[in-house]
Every structure is written in structure tokens, then in C-alpha cells.
Amino acid sequence: MHIPDGMLSAGVCAAGYGLTLLATGYSIKKINQSREPARDIPKASLLTAAFFVASLVHIPVPPASVHPLLNGLLGAILGYYAFPAILVALFLQAVMFGHGGITTLGINAVIMGFPAMVCSIIYRRFKNSEQSSISHSVLSFVTGSMGTALSVILFVLILINFIPANINAEAEKIAIYTGAAAHIPLVIIEGILTAFVLNYIRKVKPELLDTNF
Amino acid sequence: MEISAKADSKSNTIFHQWEAESKLISFILLMFSFAMIRNIELVIIMILVSAVMFFVSGISYSCLLNRWKTPAVLVLLMGLMVLFFSEGQILITAGSLTITREGLLGMIILISRVMSILTLIVILFETTPFLDIITAMHNLGLPKILADMTLFTVRYIFTLNWQLKQMKKAIILRGFIGNKISSWKEYAILIGGILVRSFEQSDRVYKALAIRGYSFEQIRSAPAGWDSRDKTMCYSFAVLALLISSIQVYLNIPGV
């Protein structure tokens, strides 16, 4: 779900970079206020690498397979590091695999990063250590599916609205609905997967969820 | 495209010798000027410029084709949508589908722009060592947090990918069949497992870095000097980008 180079006008790309600059600036300000940024940077970077690798895992959805976005999960675990982590991962994906692009890096960071920030706030606001397993699973499902759902909405709206052409309004509406509907299974899969992963981490390594990045 | 400390060492073209900072600025200016293009007249110039640069760079066709392949499906879908659903002067009608002049031009412009910008990206990253790019970005103002995170992430992607493959192999040997919906939980454990492992490893990495003097100070390396060739290349690219953008702005004026 990355927009490649050349699809959007220079103005939209510049606006994407502007929003990314604001979000990165805000995240870095918060990171600098933490007690030990030098200790947290390697931790956040290794987790970014782990997320990068984990997003390449193909989840079977017979007869095909999908690879997860994991931006909701990333937001829940990395907190203020989520946006910089997504920016770094998108840059590396653009350079290494050609997913996304360099001129569209800002707009792709907005599509993936803003939902991760929202998920981070929601998960950290409602999570507590005495929570039952069921309510934690529900919270995790909502976090995971919301991350993907918001990204899909942003992706489809940006792509359809800013493709520079005289596209028929009716066709544009159909494309938006079709694009969004096609991603509904992915939204559900992400929710289920995030719930499984967060429950697993809660049992095996709860301090990973309590780390105050 | 693989990340390596060295660029393609077999070639030694003008792009390989170009200093990273000025090269990065020049390529980004040119990419953004290409992204502005909306007219078919400028598309011809864009294709010519990127083709000449590609031939001068000495990069292989297979490398470029690999890069073009990745976004092909999305670009083709959007191109077809622009072709068949644009309003304007009708050229061909086949059943309920119509192709308009505006749609045809829109599709040609869209696909050419994607391919030309991707060509520039291939030239930039194939002719510059990755470490030089990050250093240049840091010297141009990239915050230390992002520069450090990028380098750490690159360093550990390959290690963690290998660990993930080993973990997957281990669970397959224990009877895991990974192509059913019922295996989602196992996939989640695999993902959770790699996150937990990386978290545990990160503490050891930090300690190893700390005893080698790693700190959180913003230190910029001394900017590499731009020699006259770097300056000439950078100014030429800037003038070309400005020219393309100005012509596009002029062509956008109603009535022109």
C-alpha cells in the first residue's frame, strides 16, 4: 500500500513532506525529553528492523496470501518512535525493494505513520496490567484493525483525489468504494494478527509492552 | 536493489565519481521537477533526459527492469483508470468503454513520469554507496535520531531476517503447516518471537555500543568539499530542473 514515484504531483509530494516534517519534529521532541534517548535508539532501531522483517512474512488467505502492514502493532509497541520508525522503514523499502518512492516518501509516511500514532495513543490510553485477557484482546484487535483501516482510507482518498486527470466523478466514487472494500479482509486479518501478537508478548515478555519509548 | 557499503564498483562513470551531497540535492531537484510535468511536450524532454542519464551511468538493463516491475501493477491499474474514465474529446468507443484524448494523454504522462523518476532513483542509489547517502543526508540536516535509526536498522535487517527464517524452519520441522487460515496463530507467534528476540538483543547491542563510546550527541562529519566538477553538475541539474518547472508553470497558465 505504498504510492510509487511519479503518481502524484510535486505539490502533493511537498505537502506530504511538510506533514512528515511536523510529525517527525513532534516525535523527536518527545524522544529528546525521555530520560535516556541514547539507550532507546538502538532498541527502537532493532524493533524497526524486526517489524521490517515481520512485514515480509506472507500470511495465508487461501487461495492467496497477504503480507501484513503491522502499523497498528508498531504504534502500540514503539510509541513516540513509531513515526520515525515508519519513515526509516519506508525509506529502506523504497531503496531496497522499490516499494513506494523517494518523492512520495512523505505522503507514504503520512499514510502509514499517522494511523500508527493514533493507534499508539489508543493502545497506551486503554491498556493496563490488570486487564483481563479478553479485554486486552479486544483492545489489541481494535488497535491492529484501526491502523490498517485508517491507512487504507488515506491511501485510497489520496490516490483517487490527487491523480491529475479529468476522471469522471462517478468513476472516481466507484474506485474509492471498490478500493476500500477490497481491503476489508486485510483490516480484519491485521486485527486478529495484532491481537495474537500482543497477547503473546504480554505472556512472554510483558516488559516490551511496558517500555516507555 | 541491494544495500551495500560500496556502489557498483565495476563502473567508474561521472555519476560514480560525483560527490554524494551535491548529487543528492541535484537528483531530488530533478525528481521533483519531473513530478510537476503535466504536458506531453515536456514528457519527451523528461524521457530523453532520463534515458541519456541511464546510458551514461552504465547500469544494467536488468537492474532497471527489476525496479520498474515493482510498482507495475498499481501504475497499470491507475493508467487504465485514467485511460477509460477521463472526460474529454472522445477518440474511440467500444461498448460502454470510451477512450478520450485527455485520457490517452493522461495515461502516457502518468506512466512516463513513474518510469523516468524510477530511472533517476536507480541511477542515484546504484552509483552511490549507501553509507555516503546517509552521511550526506545527515550533513544536509537529517536529525541524528533518524540517521542512527537508519544505520542500525540496515545493520540488523539481515540478521533478523536470517533468525526469522531459522525460526520458521524450526516450527515447520515440528509439524507446522503454514498454508491454512488455522496457522495464523503460529504466524503471530513467529512475529511476536522475532520482536521479543530483537528486544532482548537490543540491550546487548546498546551495552556494546556504550562501552565503545556511543552517545547521543549531534556530530556532523566535515562536509566533503565540492570540487569544480561537482559544482558544475549540481548547477546544471538545478538549471535543468528550474527550466522544466518554469515551462510547466507557464503551460499551466490558462490560455497558453
Side-chain angles (χ1 to χ4, degrees):
Chain A
M1 206 166 27
H2 305 326
I3 300 177
D5 283 304
M7 295 281 273
L8 301 172
S9 69
V12 179
C13 295
Y17 269 104
L19 290 171
T20 297
L21 194 71
L22 286 176
T24 311
Y26 173 75
S27 303
I28 290 177
K29 189 181 160 199
K30 289 287 181 187
I31 290 167
N32 285 334
Q33 286 169 358
S34 67
R35 277 176 302 149
E36 282 187 290
R39 178 183 280 271
D40 290 343
I41 288 172
K43 279 187 186 174
S45 308
L46 255 82
L47 283 165
T48 306
F51 273 110
F52 187 100
V53 168
S55 70
L56 301 175
V57 171
H58 284 267
I59 308 294
V61 185
S65 66
V66 293
H67 69 91
L69 290 181
L70 301 177
N71 58 342
L73 179 65
L74 192 140
I77 293 179
L78 286 183
Y80 291 123
Y81 277 92
F83 198 89
I86 282 176
L87 192 59
V88 167
L90 287 172
F91 174 70
L92 293 177
Q93 281 185 344
V95 175
M96 291 165 79
F97 306 121
H99 291 297
I102 298 297
T103 56
T104 51
L105 180 65
I107 210 83
N108 284 328
V110 169
I111 290 171
M112 299 287 287
F114 278 23
M117 287 170 98
V118 172
C119 291
S120 165
I121 294 166
I122 290 174
Y123 184 75
R124 280 158 189 248
R125 169 75 184 77
F126 293 104
K127 179 200 75 166
N128 71 63
S129 49
E130 276 121 53
Q131 209 165 20
S132 72
S133 176
I134 292 172
S135 71
H136 182 258
S137 299
V138 172
L139 175 63
S140 306
F141 177 84
V142 170
T143 306
S145 48
M146 184 185 275
T148 309
L150 291 175
S151 290
V152 168
I153 291 167
L154 284 172
F155 174 76
V156 174
L157 285 178
I158 289 171
L159 204 56
I160 305 297
N161 281 308
F162 295 114
I163 283 288
N166 314 314
I167 292 180
N168 177 289
E170 196 55 39
E172 195 174 309
K173 208 187 282 177
I174 292 169
I176 290 175
Y177 291 147
T178 314
H183 283 88
I184 290 173
L186 186 65
V187 171
I188 297 166
I189 293 167
E190 284 274 342
I192 295 170
L193 202 67
T194 305
F196 280 148
V197 174
L198 287 175
N199 274 335
Y200 170 82
I201 294 173
R202 197 174 180 230
K203 277 182 205 153
V204 174
K205 196 84 180 169
E207 53 271 40
L208 175 53
L209 299 179
D210 297 331
T211 304
N212 203 13
F213 279 121
Chain B
M1 190 181 292
E2 276 186 29
I3 283 185
S4 64
K6 286 181 179 175
D8 174 17
S9 55
K10 280 174 267 177
S11 312
N12 194 23
T13 66
I14 192 162
F15 291 115
H16 290 81
Q17 294 164 7
W18 194 351
E19 186 272 327
E21 247 176 75
S22 56
K23 183 161 43 166
L24 194 63
I25 296 171
S26 310
F27 271 76
I28 286 179
L29 284 175
L30 200 57
M31 280 181 219
F32 269 89
S33 72
F34 280 5
M36 284 183 77
I37 289 176
R38 298 281 168 274
N39 287 72
I40 196 77
E41 297 86 348
L42 283 172
V43 166
I44 298 161
I45 297 173
M46 175 175 71
I47 292 173
L48 268 175
V49 169
S50 46
V52 168
M53 284 172 66
F54 173 72
F55 288 120
V56 172
S57 72
I59 295 166
S60 66
Y61 288 104
S62 60
C63 179
L64 183 66
L65 289 175
N66 268 339
R67 192 58 185 244
W68 280 353
K69 250 192 289 180
T70 313
V73 175
L74 181 66
V75 174
L76 207 66
L77 274 176
M78 293 310 296
L80 289 175
M81 193 179 144
V82 171
L83 178 68
F84 290 117
F85 298 108
S86 292
E87 289 168 336
Q89 184 193 333
I90 296 172
L91 293 177
I92 303 165
T93 306
S96 58
L97 292 175
T98 52
I99 295 177
T100 61
R101 183 178 172 276
E102 286 73 11
L104 185 63
L105 289 179
M107 185 188 74
I108 293 170
I109 293 168
L110 180 75
I111 294 176
S112 315
R113 215 172 38 212
V114 172
M115 289 163 82
S116 300
I117 297 179
L118 285 180
T119 307
L120 293 191
I121 289 176
V122 170
I123 298 169
L124 175 63
F125 286 99
E126 284 292 321
T127 61
T128 321
F130 186 69
L131 195 60
D132 288 3
I133 296 224
I134 300 299
T135 310
M137 285 165 74
H138 184 44
N139 286 339
L140 291 170
L142 182 77
K144 180 174 162 59
I145 291 179
L146 289 179
D148 280 3
M149 280 183 75
T150 309
L151 293 174
F152 280 131
T153 305
V154 169
R155 165 68 183 81
Y156 287 99
I157 278 176
F158 302 103
T159 316
L160 291 172
N161 194 30
W162 182 82
Q163 285 182 14
L164 187 74
K165 279 182 182 161
Q166 294 297 105
M167 285 161 70
K168 196 172 175 189
K169 209 180 276 177
I171 60 168
I172 287 171
L173 287 171
R174 285 163 180 77
F176 166 68
I177 302 160
N179 54 4
K180 290 190 288 189
I181 289 184
S182 57
S183 60
W184 284 2
K185 197 167 183 179
E186 281 78 13
Y187 276 106
I189 291 171
L190 200 64
I191 291 170
I194 200 72
L195 291 174
V196 169
R197 274 188 185 213
S198 68
F199 182 71
E200 287 169 347
Q201 196 178 348
S202 69
D203 216 38
R204 296 193 295 274
V205 170
Y206 168 69
K207 281 174 187 155
L209 285 167
I211 57 172
R212 285 166 179 81
Y214 174 73
S215 70
F216 187 60
E217 285 163 33
Q218 186 90 4
I219 302 166
R220 294 193 197 285
S221 50
W226 296 13
D227 63 22
S228 57
R229 188 187 50 205
D230 297 330
K231 282 181 189 163
T232 311
M233 291 287 280
C234 188
Y235 295 147
S236 314
F237 270 59
V239 168
L240 182 63
L242 190 71
L243 203 67
I244 291 173
S245 318
S246 309
I247 296 172
Q248 184 56 59
V249 171
Y250 173 73
L251 291 173
N252 281 351
I253 297 170
V256 175

